Coordinates of all heavy atoms in Angstrom, one line a residue:
M1 N -5.4 14.5 -45.4 CA -5.1 13.9 -44.1 C -5.4 12.3 -44.3 O -5.7 11.6 -43.3 CB -6.0 14.4 -43.0 CG -5.6 15.8 -42.6 SD -4.0 16.0 -42.1 CE -4.2 16.5 -40.4
K2 N -5.3 11.9 -45.5 CA -5.5 10.4 -45.7 C -4.4 9.5 -45.1 O -4.8 8.6 -44.4 CB -5.6 10.2 -47.2 CG -6.8 9.3 -47.6 CD -7.0 9.2 -49.1 CE -8.2 8.3 -49.4 NZ -8.3 8.1 -50.8
G3 N -3.3 10.0 -45.2 CA -2.1 9.2 -44.7 C -2.2 8.9 -43.3 O -2.3 7.7 -42.9
P4 N -2.1 9.9 -42.4 CA -2.1 9.7 -41.0 C -3.3 8.9 -40.5 O -3.1 8.1 -39.5 CB -2.1 11.1 -40.4 CG -1.6 12.0 -41.5 CD -2.0 11.3 -42.8
L5 N -4.5 9.2 -41.0 CA -5.6 8.5 -40.5 C -5.6 7.0 -40.8 O -5.8 6.1 -39.8 CB -6.9 9.1 -41.2 CG -8.2 8.6 -40.6 CD1 -8.4 9.0 -39.2 CD2 -9.5 9.1 -41.4
S6 N -5.3 6.6 -42.0 CA -5.2 5.2 -42.3 C -4.1 4.5 -41.5 O -4.2 3.4 -41.1 CB -5.1 5.0 -43.8 OG -3.9 5.6 -44.3
F7 N -3.1 5.4 -41.1 CA -2.0 4.8 -40.4 C -2.5 4.5 -38.9 O -2.3 3.4 -38.4 CB -0.8 5.7 -40.3 CG 0.3 5.3 -39.4 CD1 1.1 4.1 -39.8 CD2 0.5 5.9 -38.1 CE1 2.1 3.7 -39.0 CE2 1.5 5.4 -37.3 CZ 2.4 4.3 -37.8
Q8 N -3.3 5.4 -38.4 CA -3.9 5.1 -37.1 C -4.8 4.0 -37.0 O -4.8 3.2 -36.1 CB -4.7 6.5 -36.8 CG -3.9 7.4 -35.9 CD -4.9 8.4 -35.2 OE1 -6.0 8.5 -35.5 NE2 -4.3 9.2 -34.4
I9 N -5.6 3.8 -38.1 CA -6.5 2.7 -38.1 C -5.7 1.4 -38.2 O -6.0 0.5 -37.5 CB -7.5 2.8 -39.4 CG1 -8.4 4.0 -39.1 CG2 -8.2 1.4 -39.6 CD1 -9.2 4.3 -40.4
F10 N -4.7 1.5 -39.0 CA -3.8 0.3 -39.1 C -3.2 0.0 -37.7 O -3.2 -1.2 -37.4 CB -2.7 0.6 -40.1 CG -1.7 -0.5 -40.3 CD1 -2.0 -1.7 -40.9 CD2 -0.4 -0.3 -39.7 CE1 -1.0 -2.7 -41.0 CE2 0.5 -1.3 -39.8 CZ 0.2 -2.5 -40.4
L11 N -2.7 1.0 -37.1 CA -2.1 0.8 -35.7 C -3.1 0.3 -34.7 O -2.8 -0.7 -34.0 CB -1.5 2.1 -35.3 CG -0.5 2.1 -34.1 CD1 0.7 1.4 -34.6 CD2 -0.2 3.4 -33.6
S12 N -4.3 0.8 -34.7 CA -5.1 0.4 -33.5 C -5.7 -1.0 -33.9 O -5.9 -1.8 -33.1 CB -6.3 1.4 -33.4 OG -6.8 1.8 -34.5
W13 N -5.9 -1.3 -35.2 CA -6.3 -2.7 -35.6 C -5.1 -3.7 -35.2 O -5.4 -4.8 -34.7 CB -6.6 -2.8 -37.0 CG -6.9 -4.2 -37.5 CD1 -6.1 -4.9 -38.4 CD2 -7.9 -5.0 -37.1 NE1 -6.6 -6.2 -38.5 CE2 -7.7 -6.3 -37.6 CE3 -8.9 -4.9 -36.2 CZ2 -8.5 -7.4 -37.5 CZ3 -9.8 -6.0 -36.0 CH2 -9.5 -7.2 -36.6
G14 N -3.9 -3.2 -35.5 CA -2.8 -4.0 -35.1 C -2.7 -4.5 -33.7 O -2.6 -5.6 -33.2
L15 N -3.0 -3.4 -32.8 CA -3.0 -3.6 -31.3 C -4.1 -4.5 -31.0 O -4.0 -5.3 -30.1 CB -3.0 -2.2 -30.6 CG -1.9 -1.4 -30.7 CD1 -2.1 0.0 -30.1 CD2 -0.6 -2.1 -29.9
L16 N -5.3 -4.3 -31.5 CA -6.5 -5.0 -31.1 C -6.3 -6.5 -31.5 O -6.6 -7.3 -30.6 CB -7.7 -4.5 -31.9 CG -9.1 -5.0 -31.4 CD1 -9.4 -4.5 -30.0 CD2 -10.2 -4.6 -32.5
S17 N -5.8 -6.7 -32.6 CA -5.7 -8.1 -33.0 C -4.6 -8.8 -32.2 O -4.7 -10.0 -31.9 CB -5.4 -8.2 -34.6 OG -4.2 -7.5 -34.8
Q18 N -3.6 -8.1 -31.8 CA -2.5 -8.6 -30.9 C -3.2 -8.9 -29.6 O -2.9 -10.0 -29.0 CB -1.5 -7.6 -30.7 CG -0.5 -7.4 -31.8 CD 0.9 -7.9 -31.5 OE1 1.4 -7.7 -30.4 NE2 1.4 -8.8 -32.4
W19 N -4.0 -8.1 -29.2 CA -4.6 -8.4 -27.8 C -5.5 -9.6 -28.0 O -5.5 -10.4 -27.0 CB -5.4 -7.0 -27.5 CG -6.2 -7.1 -26.2 CD1 -5.5 -7.1 -24.9 CD2 -7.6 -7.5 -26.0 NE1 -6.6 -7.3 -23.9 CE2 -7.8 -7.5 -24.6 CE3 -8.6 -7.6 -26.9 CZ2 -9.1 -7.7 -24.0 CZ3 -9.9 -7.9 -26.4 CH2 -10.1 -7.9 -25.0
I20 N -6.3 -9.6 -29.0 CA -7.2 -10.8 -29.1 C -6.4 -12.0 -29.2 O -6.7 -13.0 -28.5 CB -8.1 -10.6 -30.4 CG1 -9.1 -9.5 -30.3 CG2 -8.8 -11.9 -30.7 CD1 -9.8 -9.1 -31.5
L21 N -5.4 -12.0 -30.0 CA -4.5 -13.1 -30.2 C -3.8 -13.6 -28.8 O -3.9 -14.8 -28.4 CB -3.4 -12.8 -31.2 CG -2.7 -14.0 -31.9 CD1 -3.7 -14.6 -32.8 CD2 -1.4 -13.5 -32.5
Y22 N -3.5 -12.6 -28.0 CA -2.9 -12.8 -26.8 C -3.8 -13.4 -25.7 O -3.5 -14.5 -25.2 CB -2.3 -11.6 -26.2 CG -1.7 -11.7 -24.8 CD1 -0.4 -12.3 -24.7 CD2 -2.3 -11.3 -23.7 CE1 0.2 -12.5 -23.5 CE2 -1.8 -11.5 -22.4 CZ -0.6 -12.2 -22.3 OH -0.1 -12.3 -21.0
T23 N -5.0 -12.9 -25.6 CA -5.9 -13.4 -24.6 C -6.5 -14.7 -25.1 O -6.7 -15.5 -24.3 CB -7.1 -12.4 -24.4 OG1 -7.6 -12.0 -25.7 CG2 -6.7 -11.2 -23.6
Y24 N -6.7 -14.9 -26.3 CA -7.1 -16.2 -26.9 C -6.1 -17.2 -26.7 O -6.4 -18.3 -26.1 CB -7.5 -16.1 -28.3 CG -8.1 -17.3 -28.9 CD1 -9.3 -17.8 -28.6 CD2 -7.3 -18.2 -29.6 CE1 -9.9 -18.9 -29.0 CE2 -7.8 -19.3 -30.2 CZ -9.1 -19.7 -29.8 OH -9.6 -20.9 -30.3
A25 N -4.9 -16.9 -27.1 CA -3.8 -17.9 -27.0 C -3.5 -18.4 -25.6 O -3.2 -19.5 -25.3 CB -2.5 -17.4 -27.7
T26 N -3.6 -17.5 -24.7 CA -3.3 -17.9 -23.3 C -4.6 -18.3 -22.5 O -4.4 -18.6 -21.3 CB -2.6 -16.7 -22.5 OG1 -3.5 -15.5 -22.6 CG2 -1.3 -16.3 -23.2
N27 N -5.7 -18.4 -23.2 CA -6.9 -18.9 -22.5 C -7.3 -18.0 -21.4 O -7.9 -18.4 -20.5 CB -6.7 -20.3 -22.0 CG -7.8 -21.2 -22.4 OD1 -9.0 -20.7 -22.3 ND2 -7.6 -22.4 -22.8
K28 N -6.8 -16.7 -21.4 CA -7.1 -15.8 -20.3 C -6.5 -16.2 -19.0 O -6.7 -15.6 -18.0 CB -8.6 -15.6 -20.2 CG -9.2 -14.9 -21.3 CD -10.6 -14.5 -21.1 CE -11.4 -14.0 -22.3 NZ -12.7 -14.6 -22.4
C29 N -5.7 -17.2 -18.9 CA -5.0 -17.5 -17.7 C -3.8 -16.5 -17.5 O -3.2 -16.1 -18.5 CB -4.3 -19.0 -17.8 SG -5.6 -20.3 -18.0
T30 N -3.6 -16.1 -16.3 CA -2.6 -15.2 -16.1 C -1.3 -16.0 -15.8 O -1.3 -16.8 -14.8 CB -2.8 -14.3 -14.9 OG1 -4.2 -13.9 -15.1 CG2 -1.9 -13.1 -14.9
V31 N -0.3 -15.9 -16.6 CA 0.9 -16.7 -16.3 C 2.0 -15.7 -15.8 O 2.3 -14.8 -16.6 CB 1.3 -17.4 -17.6 CG1 2.7 -18.2 -17.3 CG2 0.3 -18.4 -18.1
M32 N 2.4 -16.0 -14.6 CA 3.6 -15.2 -14.1 C 4.6 -16.1 -13.7 O 4.4 -16.9 -12.7 CB 3.0 -14.3 -12.9 CG 2.6 -12.9 -13.4 SD 2.4 -11.8 -12.1 CE 1.0 -12.5 -11.3
Q33 N 5.8 -15.9 -14.3 CA 7.0 -16.8 -14.0 C 6.4 -18.3 -14.2 O 5.9 -18.6 -15.3 CB 7.5 -16.6 -12.6 CG 8.5 -15.5 -12.7 CD 8.5 -14.5 -11.5 OE1 8.1 -15.0 -10.4 NE2 8.9 -13.3 -11.6
E34 N 6.4 -19.1 -13.1 CA 6.0 -20.4 -13.4 C 4.7 -20.8 -12.7 O 4.4 -21.9 -12.4 CB 7.1 -21.4 -12.9 CG 8.3 -21.4 -13.8 CD 9.5 -21.7 -13.1 OE1 9.7 -21.7 -11.9 OE2 10.5 -22.1 -13.9
V35 N 3.9 -19.7 -12.5 CA 2.6 -19.8 -11.9 C 1.5 -19.4 -12.8 O 1.5 -18.3 -13.4 CB 2.4 -19.0 -10.6 CG1 1.1 -19.1 -10.0 CG2 3.5 -19.4 -9.6
A36 N 0.5 -20.4 -13.2 CA -0.5 -20.1 -14.1 C -1.8 -20.0 -13.2 O -2.2 -20.9 -12.5 CB -0.7 -21.2 -15.1
D37 N -2.4 -18.7 -13.3 CA -3.7 -18.6 -12.5 C -4.9 -18.6 -13.5 O -5.1 -17.7 -14.3 CB -3.6 -17.2 -11.9 CG -4.8 -17.0 -10.9 OD1 -5.8 -17.9 -10.9 OD2 -4.9 -16.0 -10.3
C38 N -5.6 -19.7 -13.5 CA -6.7 -19.9 -14.4 C -8.0 -19.8 -13.6 O -9.0 -20.4 -14.0 CB -6.6 -21.2 -15.2 SG -5.2 -21.3 -16.2
S39 N -8.0 -19.2 -12.4 CA -9.2 -19.2 -11.6 C -10.3 -18.2 -12.2 O -10.0 -17.3 -12.8 CB -8.8 -18.8 -10.2 OG -8.1 -17.6 -10.1
H40 N -11.5 -18.5 -11.8 CA -12.7 -17.7 -12.2 C -12.8 -17.4 -13.7 O -13.1 -16.4 -14.2 CB -12.6 -16.3 -11.4 CG -12.5 -16.4 -10.0 ND1 -13.6 -16.5 -9.2 CD2 -11.4 -16.4 -9.1 CE1 -13.2 -16.5 -7.8 NE2 -11.9 -16.5 -7.9
L41 N -12.6 -18.4 -14.4 CA -12.7 -18.3 -15.9 C -13.8 -19.1 -16.5 O -14.0 -19.2 -17.7 CB -11.3 -18.7 -16.6 CG -10.2 -17.8 -16.4 CD1 -8.9 -18.2 -17.0 CD2 -10.5 -16.3 -16.8
K42 N -14.6 -19.8 -15.6 CA -15.7 -20.7 -16.1 C -15.2 -21.7 -17.1 O -15.9 -22.2 -18.1 CB -16.8 -19.8 -16.8 CG -17.5 -18.8 -16.0 CD -18.7 -18.2 -16.6 CE -19.5 -17.3 -15.7 NZ -19.0 -16.0 -15.4
L43 N -14.0 -22.2 -16.8 CA -13.4 -23.2 -17.7 C -14.2 -24.5 -17.6 O -14.5 -24.9 -16.5 CB -11.9 -23.4 -17.4 CG -11.0 -22.3 -17.6 CD1 -9.5 -22.7 -17.2 CD2 -10.9 -21.9 -19.1
T44 N -14.4 -25.2 -18.8 CA -14.9 -26.5 -18.7 C -13.9 -27.6 -19.1 O -14.1 -28.7 -19.0 CB -16.2 -26.6 -19.6 OG1 -15.8 -26.1 -20.9 CG2 -17.4 -25.8 -19.1
H45 N -12.8 -27.0 -19.6 CA -11.7 -27.9 -20.0 C -10.4 -27.4 -19.5 O -10.2 -26.2 -19.2 CB -11.6 -27.9 -21.6 CG -12.8 -28.5 -22.2 ND1 -13.8 -27.7 -22.8 CD2 -13.1 -29.7 -22.4 CE1 -14.6 -28.5 -23.4 NE2 -14.3 -29.8 -23.1
I46 N -9.5 -28.3 -19.3 CA -8.2 -28.0 -18.7 C -7.4 -27.4 -19.9 O -7.3 -27.9 -21.0 CB -7.5 -29.2 -18.3 CG1 -8.2 -29.7 -17.0 CG2 -6.0 -29.0 -18.0 CD1 -8.2 -31.3 -16.8
P47 N -6.9 -26.1 -19.6 CA -6.1 -25.4 -20.8 C -4.9 -26.3 -21.2 O -4.2 -26.8 -20.4 CB -5.7 -24.2 -20.0 CG -6.3 -24.1 -18.7 CD -6.9 -25.4 -18.4
D48 N -4.9 -26.4 -22.5 CA -3.7 -27.2 -23.1 C -2.8 -26.3 -23.9 O -2.1 -26.7 -24.7 CB -4.3 -28.3 -24.0 CG -5.2 -27.8 -25.2 OD1 -5.3 -26.4 -25.3 OD2 -5.8 -28.6 -25.8
D49 N -2.8 -25.0 -23.6 CA -1.9 -24.1 -24.4 C -1.0 -23.2 -23.4 O -0.7 -22.1 -23.8 CB -2.8 -23.1 -25.3 CG -4.0 -22.5 -24.6 OD1 -4.0 -22.5 -23.4 OD2 -4.7 -21.8 -25.2
L50 N -0.9 -23.6 -22.2 CA -0.1 -23.0 -21.3 C 1.4 -23.4 -21.4 O 1.6 -24.5 -22.0 CB -0.5 -23.2 -19.9 CG -1.9 -22.8 -19.5 CD1 -2.4 -23.4 -18.2 CD2 -2.1 -21.3 -19.5
P51 N 2.3 -22.5 -21.0 CA 3.7 -23.0 -21.1 C 4.0 -24.3 -20.4 O 3.4 -24.5 -19.3 CB 4.4 -21.8 -20.3 CG 3.5 -20.7 -20.3 CD 2.1 -21.2 -20.4
T52 N 4.7 -25.1 -20.9 CA 4.9 -26.5 -20.3 C 5.8 -26.5 -19.1 O 5.8 -27.5 -18.4 CB 5.5 -27.5 -21.3 OG1 6.7 -26.8 -21.9 CG2 4.5 -27.7 -22.5
N53 N 6.4 -25.3 -18.8 CA 7.3 -25.4 -17.6 C 6.6 -24.8 -16.3 O 7.3 -24.6 -15.4 CB 8.6 -24.5 -17.9 CG 8.2 -23.0 -18.2 OD1 7.0 -22.7 -18.5 ND2 9.2 -22.2 -18.0
I54 N 5.3 -24.7 -16.4 CA 4.6 -24.1 -15.2 C 4.8 -25.1 -14.0 O 4.7 -26.3 -14.2 CB 3.1 -23.7 -15.4 CG1 2.4 -24.9 -16.1 CG2 3.1 -22.5 -16.4 CD1 0.9 -24.7 -16.0
K55 N 4.8 -24.5 -12.8 CA 4.9 -25.4 -11.6 C 3.7 -25.3 -10.8 O 3.3 -26.3 -10.0 CB 6.1 -25.0 -10.8 CG 7.4 -25.3 -11.5 CD 8.6 -25.2 -10.5 CE 9.9 -25.8 -11.1 NZ 10.3 -25.0 -12.2
V56 N 2.9 -24.3 -10.9 CA 1.7 -24.1 -10.2 C 0.5 -23.9 -11.2 O 0.6 -23.0 -12.1 CB 1.7 -23.0 -9.2 CG1 0.4 -22.9 -8.5 CG2 2.8 -23.2 -8.2
L57 N -0.5 -24.6 -11.2 CA -1.7 -24.4 -12.0 C -2.9 -24.2 -11.1 O -3.3 -25.1 -10.4 CB -1.9 -25.6 -13.0 CG -3.1 -25.6 -13.9 CD1 -3.1 -24.2 -14.7 CD2 -3.0 -26.7 -14.9
N58 N -3.5 -23.1 -11.1 CA -4.6 -22.7 -10.3 C -5.9 -22.8 -11.1 O -6.1 -21.9 -12.0 CB -4.4 -21.3 -9.7 CG -5.3 -21.1 -8.6 OD1 -6.4 -21.6 -8.5 ND2 -4.9 -20.1 -7.7
L59 N -6.6 -23.8 -10.8 CA -7.9 -24.0 -11.6 C -9.2 -23.8 -10.7 O -10.2 -24.4 -11.0 CB -7.9 -25.4 -12.1 CG -6.9 -25.7 -13.4 CD1 -6.9 -27.2 -13.6 CD2 -7.4 -25.0 -14.7
T60 N -9.0 -23.0 -9.7 CA -10.2 -22.9 -8.7 C -11.3 -22.1 -9.4 O -11.0 -21.2 -10.3 CB -9.7 -22.2 -7.4 OG1 -9.0 -21.0 -7.7 CG2 -8.7 -23.1 -6.7
H61 N -12.4 -22.3 -8.8 CA -13.6 -21.5 -9.3 C -13.8 -21.5 -10.8 O -14.0 -20.6 -11.5 CB -13.5 -20.0 -8.9 CG -13.4 -19.8 -7.4 ND1 -14.5 -19.7 -6.5 CD2 -12.3 -19.7 -6.6 CE1 -14.1 -19.5 -5.3 NE2 -12.8 -19.7 -5.3
N62 N -13.9 -22.8 -11.4 CA -14.2 -23.0 -12.7 C -15.3 -24.0 -12.8 O -16.0 -24.4 -11.8 CB -12.9 -23.5 -13.5 CG -12.1 -22.3 -13.8 OD1 -12.4 -21.4 -14.6 ND2 -10.8 -22.4 -13.5
Q63 N -15.6 -24.5 -14.0 CA -16.7 -25.4 -14.1 C -16.2 -26.8 -14.7 O -16.9 -27.4 -15.5 CB -17.8 -24.9 -15.1 CG -18.4 -23.7 -14.5 CD -19.2 -22.8 -15.5 OE1 -19.3 -23.1 -16.6 NE2 -19.7 -21.7 -15.0
L64 N -15.0 -27.1 -14.2 CA -14.4 -28.5 -14.6 C -15.2 -29.6 -14.1 O -15.6 -29.5 -12.9 CB -13.0 -28.4 -14.2 CG -12.1 -27.4 -14.9 CD1 -10.8 -27.4 -14.1 CD2 -11.8 -27.8 -16.3
K65 N -15.5 -30.6 -14.9 CA -16.2 -31.7 -14.3 C -15.3 -32.9 -14.0 O -15.7 -33.8 -13.3 CB -17.2 -32.1 -15.5 CG -18.3 -31.2 -15.7 CD -19.5 -31.8 -16.3 CE -20.6 -30.8 -16.2 NZ -20.4 -29.5 -17.1
G66 N -14.0 -32.8 -14.4 CA -13.1 -33.7 -14.0 C -11.7 -33.3 -14.2 O -11.5 -32.3 -14.8
L67 N -10.8 -33.9 -13.6 CA -9.3 -33.5 -13.8 C -8.6 -34.8 -14.3 O -7.8 -35.5 -13.6 CB -8.8 -33.1 -12.5 CG -9.4 -31.8 -11.9 CD1 -8.9 -31.7 -10.4 CD2 -9.2 -30.6 -12.6
P68 N -8.9 -35.3 -15.6 CA -8.2 -36.5 -16.0 C -6.6 -36.3 -16.1 O -6.2 -35.2 -16.7 CB -8.8 -36.7 -17.3 CG -9.6 -35.4 -17.7 CD -9.7 -34.5 -16.5
P69 N -5.9 -37.2 -15.6 CA -4.4 -37.0 -15.5 C -3.8 -36.9 -17.0 O -2.8 -36.1 -17.1 CB -4.0 -38.3 -14.9 CG -5.2 -39.2 -14.7 CD -6.3 -38.4 -14.9
A70 N -4.5 -37.4 -18.0 CA -4.0 -37.3 -19.3 C -3.8 -35.9 -19.7 O -3.0 -35.6 -20.5 CB -4.8 -38.1 -20.2
N71 N -4.8 -35.1 -19.3 CA -4.7 -33.6 -19.7 C -3.6 -32.8 -19.0 O -3.5 -31.6 -19.3 CB -6.1 -33.0 -19.4 CG -7.2 -33.7 -20.2 OD1 -7.4 -34.9 -20.2 ND2 -8.0 -33.0 -20.9
F72 N -2.9 -33.5 -18.1 CA -1.9 -32.7 -17.5 C -0.5 -33.2 -17.8 O 0.4 -32.7 -17.4 CB -2.0 -32.8 -15.9 CG -3.3 -32.1 -15.4 CD1 -4.4 -33.0 -15.0 CD2 -3.4 -30.8 -15.4 CE1 -5.5 -32.3 -14.5 CE2 -4.6 -30.1 -14.9 CZ -5.6 -30.9 -14.5
T73 N -0.5 -34.2 -18.7 CA 0.9 -34.8 -19.0 C 1.8 -33.7 -19.6 O 3.0 -34.0 -19.5 CB 0.7 -36.1 -19.9 OG1 -0.2 -35.7 -21.0 CG2 0.1 -37.3 -19.2
R74 N 1.2 -32.8 -20.3 CA 2.2 -31.9 -20.9 C 2.9 -30.9 -20.0 O 3.9 -30.4 -20.2 CB 1.5 -31.1 -22.0 CG 0.3 -30.3 -21.6 CD -0.3 -29.5 -22.7 NE 0.2 -28.2 -22.7 CZ 0.8 -27.5 -23.7 NH1 1.1 -28.2 -24.8 NH2 1.2 -26.4 -23.7
Y75 N 2.2 -30.9 -18.8 CA 2.9 -30.1 -17.7 C 3.6 -30.9 -16.8 O 3.2 -31.2 -15.6 CB 1.8 -29.2 -16.9 CG 0.8 -28.5 -17.9 CD1 -0.6 -28.7 -17.9 CD2 1.3 -27.6 -18.8 CE1 -1.4 -28.1 -18.7 CE2 0.4 -26.8 -19.6 CZ -1.0 -27.2 -19.6 OH -1.7 -26.5 -20.4
S76 N 4.8 -31.4 -17.3 CA 5.5 -32.4 -16.5 C 6.1 -31.8 -15.3 O 6.6 -32.5 -14.4 CB 6.6 -33.0 -17.4 OG 7.3 -32.0 -18.0
Q77 N 6.3 -30.5 -15.2 CA 7.0 -29.9 -14.0 C 6.1 -29.3 -12.9 O 6.4 -28.7 -12.1 CB 7.9 -28.8 -14.5 CG 8.9 -29.3 -15.5 CD 9.8 -28.3 -16.0 OE1 10.3 -27.4 -15.3 NE2 10.3 -28.3 -17.2
L78 N 4.8 -29.8 -13.1 CA 3.7 -29.3 -12.2 C 3.9 -29.8 -10.8 O 4.1 -31.0 -10.6 CB 2.4 -29.7 -12.8 CG 1.2 -28.8 -12.5 CD1 1.3 -27.4 -12.9 CD2 0.0 -29.4 -13.1
I79 N 3.9 -28.9 -9.8 CA 4.0 -29.3 -8.4 C 2.7 -29.2 -7.6 O 2.3 -30.0 -6.9 CB 5.2 -28.6 -7.8 CG1 6.5 -28.8 -8.5 CG2 5.3 -29.0 -6.3 CD1 7.6 -27.9 -8.1
V80 N 2.1 -28.0 -7.9 CA 0.8 -27.6 -7.3 C -0.3 -27.6 -8.2 O -0.2 -26.8 -9.2 CB 1.0 -26.4 -6.5 CG1 -0.3 -26.0 -5.7 CG2 2.2 -26.4 -5.4
L81 N -1.3 -28.3 -7.9 CA -2.5 -28.2 -8.8 C -3.7 -27.9 -7.9 O -4.0 -28.7 -7.0 CB -2.8 -29.6 -9.6 CG -4.1 -29.7 -10.3 CD1 -4.1 -28.7 -11.5 CD2 -4.3 -31.1 -10.8
D82 N -4.2 -26.7 -8.0 CA -5.3 -26.4 -7.1 C -6.5 -26.4 -8.0 O -6.9 -25.7 -8.8 CB -5.1 -24.8 -6.6 CG -6.0 -24.5 -5.5 OD1 -7.0 -25.3 -5.3 OD2 -5.7 -23.5 -4.8
G83 N -7.4 -27.4 -7.6 CA -8.6 -27.6 -8.3 C -9.9 -27.4 -7.6 O -10.9 -28.0 -7.7
G84 N -9.8 -26.6 -6.5 CA -11.0 -26.4 -5.7 C -12.1 -25.7 -6.4 O -11.9 -25.1 -7.4
F85 N -13.3 -25.7 -5.8 CA -14.5 -25.0 -6.2 C -14.9 -25.3 -7.7 O -14.9 -24.4 -8.5 CB -14.3 -23.5 -6.1 CG -14.2 -23.0 -4.7 CD1 -12.9 -22.9 -4.2 CD2 -15.2 -22.9 -3.8 CE1 -12.8 -22.5 -2.9 CE2 -15.1 -22.6 -2.6 CZ -13.8 -22.3 -2.0
N86 N -14.8 -26.6 -8.0 CA -15.3 -27.1 -9.4 C -16.4 -28.0 -9.2 O -16.9 -28.3 -8.1 CB -14.1 -27.6 -10.1 CG -13.4 -26.5 -10.8 OD1 -13.8 -25.8 -11.7 ND2 -12.1 -26.3 -10.5
S87 N -16.8 -28.7 -10.3 CA -17.9 -29.6 -10.3 C -17.3 -31.0 -10.4 O -17.8 -31.8 -11.0 CB -18.9 -29.3 -11.4 OG -19.1 -28.0 -11.6
V88 N -16.2 -31.1 -9.8 CA -15.5 -32.5 -10.0 C -16.2 -33.5 -9.1 O -16.3 -33.3 -7.9 CB -14.0 -32.4 -9.4 CG1 -13.4 -33.8 -9.6 CG2 -13.2 -31.4 -10.2
S89 N -16.7 -34.5 -9.8 CA -17.5 -35.5 -9.0 C -16.6 -36.7 -8.7 O -16.9 -37.5 -7.8 CB -18.7 -35.9 -9.8 OG -18.4 -36.1 -11.2
K90 N -15.6 -37.0 -9.5 CA -14.8 -38.1 -9.2 C -13.3 -37.7 -9.5 O -13.1 -37.0 -10.5 CB -15.2 -39.4 -9.9 CG -15.1 -39.4 -11.4 CD -15.3 -40.7 -11.9 CE -15.1 -40.7 -13.5 NZ -15.4 -41.9 -14.2
L91 N -12.3 -38.2 -8.8 CA -11.0 -37.8 -9.0 C -10.2 -39.1 -9.4 O -10.3 -40.2 -8.7 CB -10.4 -37.3 -7.7 CG -9.3 -36.2 -7.9 CD1 -9.8 -35.1 -8.8 CD2 -8.9 -35.7 -6.6
E92 N -9.5 -39.1 -10.5 CA -8.8 -40.2 -11.0 C -7.3 -40.1 -10.4 O -6.9 -39.1 -10.0 CB -8.8 -40.2 -12.5 CG -10.1 -40.6 -13.1 CD -10.2 -40.1 -14.6 OE1 -9.5 -40.7 -15.4 OE2 -11.1 -39.3 -14.8
P93 N -6.7 -41.2 -10.3 CA -5.4 -41.2 -9.6 C -4.4 -40.3 -10.3 O -4.5 -40.1 -11.4 CB -4.9 -42.7 -9.8 CG -5.9 -43.3 -10.8 CD -7.2 -42.5 -10.7
Ligands
NAG101 C1 -8.9 -33.6 -22.0 O1 -8.3 -33.6 -23.3 C2 -9.1 -34.1 -24.3 C3 -8.3 -34.1 -25.6 O2 -7.7 -32.9 -25.9 C4 -10.4 -33.3 -24.5 O3 -11.2 -33.8 -25.5 C5 -11.1 -33.3 -23.1 O4 -12.3 -32.6 -23.2 C6 -10.2 -32.9 -22.0 N1 -10.9 -32.9 -20.7 C7 -10.9 -31.9 -19.8 C8 -11.6 -32.1 -18.5 O5 -10.2 -30.9 -20.1
NAG102 C1 -5.8 -20.1 -6.4 O1 -6.6 -18.9 -6.5 C2 -7.4 -18.7 -5.4 C3 -8.3 -17.6 -5.6 O2 -8.3 -17.0 -6.9 C4 -6.5 -18.6 -4.1 O3 -7.5 -18.5 -3.0 C5 -5.7 -19.8 -3.9 O4 -4.9 -19.6 -2.9 C6 -4.9 -20.0 -5.2 N1 -4.1 -21.2 -5.1 C7 -2.8 -21.4 -5.4 C8 -2.2 -22.8 -5.2 O5 -2.1 -20.4 -5.6

């Protein structure tokens, strides 16, 4: 029974690494169509690996200390930025 077992291990490892890769690559933000929900993730940095065509970015309930505009330049189609419930002490233009 060596064959099927090693195949199973191979398969589950494949799924696991895919899952790790997926959650890591997307920063655990949930991206649905053009809405990225990054709320409740204890983020200290603005995610820079989201699709560039998102229109809504939800950054509520994180630990962001600032929302520097430079960090949003890649999201040129952003219309709504929800940055409530963070530790933002000053807001830049
Ligand atoms: C903004 O981007 C710079 C460069 O990637 C990074 O060093 C910095 O921590 C980012 N700031 C925030 C608040 O995400
Ligand atoms: C962002 O998420 C919070 C809760 O997770 C929700 O109350 C709020 O309406 C959302 N904001 C937007 C712009 O979708």
